[in-house]
Amino acid sequence: VFRSDDGGASWHASNKGIRNGYVRYDPSAEEFPEHGQCVHHVVYSAQQDRLYAQVHWGTVRSDDGGASWVDITAGLPSDFGMVIAAHPRNADVAYVVPIVGGEFRVPPEGKLRVYRTADAGASWEPLTSGLPQVALPHDIQRADVGQQEAPDVEQHHMPHANAVEQVLHPMRQLGHGGV
């Protein structure tokens, strides 16, 4: 996150408290660097200095206009997501849509859920009304099955894989072309 306190004339990194998730893969990496974190989305809340952000490996909140951040991921089924929203009138309410990860962008357990906090991230509750709760395609199989032999199977070339992956796609039966 970069912040300007002078209308954009100058900018400075403002990532105090945003963890660098790459330490999972490189223990020598700095855990809380000044910059370099992958920030997906930042939103304002109804409270002047409260911000919410979805970062590459977590969900965070700032109560001081982005000068510092607190991790609020606990209680979510995944630490990865791309979407976050804040309630326009209640600063304690925010919404996220967690996904499994950057390599596999589907909801945890294959079930689409919006998670809501009503206490600024101290706890989260899943919202499911009106959302599909049948398992979306998260069962990946390696097989030599052709498209004519299995019309409900989509073929995807996955990075770092040596074979064509077969992803069962039940949403096709509902008339959707993709996930």
Side-chain angles (χ1 to χ4, degrees):
V1 175
F2 284 82
R3 174 182 164 154
S4 176
D5 297 318
D6 56 12
S10 64
W11 294 87
H12 61 277
S14 189
N15 296 300
K16 183 180 179 185
I18 299 179
R19 192 171 67 80
N20 175 8
Y22 292 104
V23 297
R24 293 178 179 181
Y25 307 107
D26 180 4
S28 67
E30 188 176 344
E31 188 171 8
F32 294 97
E34 183 179 356
H35 55 77
Q37 295 87 333
C38 183
V39 177
H40 296 167
H41 200 78
V42 178
V43 294
Y44 285 100
S45 75
Q47 184 177 316
Q48 182 176 350
D49 287 333
R50 178 166 291 165
L51 305 170
Y52 291 96
Q54 182 69 59
V55 298
H56 201 78
W57 279 298
T59 302
V60 293
R61 183 192 76 237
S62 174
D63 291 319
D64 55 12
S68 64
W69 298 88
V70 174
D71 189 290
I72 57 171
T73 308
L76 293 171
S78 169
D79 62 358
F80 195 90
M82 302 295 284
V83 180
I84 190 164
H87 192 280
R89 293 175 300 283
N90 185 339
D92 290 339
V93 176
Y95 305 87
V96 297
V97 179
I99 58 178
V100 172
E103 299 80 19
F104 197 49
R105 295 181 180 202
V106 298
E109 301 176 16
K111 298 175 181 181
L112 184 57
R113 296 176 178 167
V114 173
Y115 280 77
R116 174 179 57 199
T117 180
D119 53 16
S123 64
W124 295 92
E125 67 174 318
L127 306 177
T128 59
S129 180
L131 300 173
Q133 294 303 296
V134 241
L136 295 174
H138 71 287
D139 295 317
I140 297 178
Q141 303 174 16
R142 286 198 172 120
D144 289 326
V145 179
Q147 199 66 21
Q148 281 107 14
E149 297 168 18
D152 289 337
V153 173
E154 278 194 7
Q155 295 184 357
H156 296 275
H157 294 283
M158 303 289 214
H160 312 297
N162 295 327
V164 174
E165 301 287 346
Q166 308 292 327
V167 179
L168 298 178
H169 195 359
M171 291 300 283
R172 184 179 280 162
Q173 296 171 0
L174 299 175
H176 301 287
V179 176

